[in-house]
Amino acid sequence: RSAIHVSASSQPDRIWIMDQLNYHLMSLNLRTGKYSKISNLTGILNFEQVDEMKEYGNELFILDRSKGLYRFDLYGTLISYFPQDGCLAFAVQDGNAMILKKDGILMIDMESEEEQNLHLPIPEIIDFSVNGSSFYFRTVDKIFRYKLSLNK
């Protein structure tokens, strides 16, 4: 278990820092050295641990693989929580949160909270990334690229 997680921000002079030992989430301005801190966030939200932390579209997402995905605004206020166990990784694109699980990807419309399960094209995926209509899947020894095309 890592004590500190760091995530880049969409603002070039800011980073996010999660201190799991002291249960603080901090937003640090690299230009001024000033930071804002939210104390006991882990205790309040009952995190097991922070496994992944990323910022997308001026929102911060924190994944706890055993609890689910948490979505915060830039001030550290919880916007929504998507409870899921067995999460491996996540990505966010076009208003959708995508959570990789052993048996597929759970796609959640963040506005309506509608869920859709996508089956994986190959077994034993341990991580993934999305860029436009391309999905990149990583297994232990290979990376695969698939294009998503919707038939209308």
Side-chain angles (χ1 to χ4, degrees), residues 32-145:
T32 65
K34 293 183 180 181
Y35 66 92
S36 59
K37 176 169 69 172
I38 302 164
S39 298
N40 199 25
L41 184 64
T42 305
I44 293 167
L45 297 176
N46 196 26
F47 285 147
E48 292 286 326
Q49 70 178 37
V50 173
D51 293 300
E52 246 185 292
M53 186 168 70
K54 300 175 188 174
E55 184 181 313
Y56 290 98
N58 292 322
E59 294 177 341
L60 180 68
F61 294 84
I62 297 177
L63 179 70
D64 177 333
R65 289 188 177 129
S66 65
K67 299 274 184 170
L69 186 63
Y70 298 83
R71 176 183 173 206
F72 300 90
D73 67 15
L74 290 180
Y75 304 102
T77 303
L78 182 67
I79 297 172
S80 52
Y81 167 57
F82 307 107
Q84 293 292 320
D85 61 349
C87 304
L88 300 175
F90 79 95
V92 176
Q93 184 172 331
D94 299 331
N96 293 297
M98 293 167 268
I99 300 172
L100 176 65
K101 301 182 82 171
K102 187 177 180 180
D103 58 349
I105 293 176
L106 177 64
M107 187 176 290
I108 305 167
D109 181 308
M110 291 189 294
E111 188 174 315
S112 69
E113 296 192 6
E114 262 185 56
E115 297 181 0
Q116 181 178 1
N117 285 302
L118 304 175
H119 297 285
L120 296 173
I122 53 175
E124 300 180 17
I125 295 172
I126 58 173
D127 199 4
F128 81 113
S129 178
V130 180
N131 185 4
S133 62
S134 295
F135 281 73
Y136 298 86
F137 297 107
R138 183 168 63 98
T139 63
V140 173
D141 58 351
K142 293 182 182 173
I143 295 176
F144 298 88
R145 178 177 171 238

Side-chain angles (χ1 to χ4, degrees), residues 1-6 17-24 50:
R1 174 178 161 172
S2 176
I4 304 279
H5 280 271
V6 178
I17 302 168
M18 181 67 189
D19 175 354
Q20 291 191 107
L21 294 178
N22 297 305
Y23 305 106
H24 300 305
V50 173

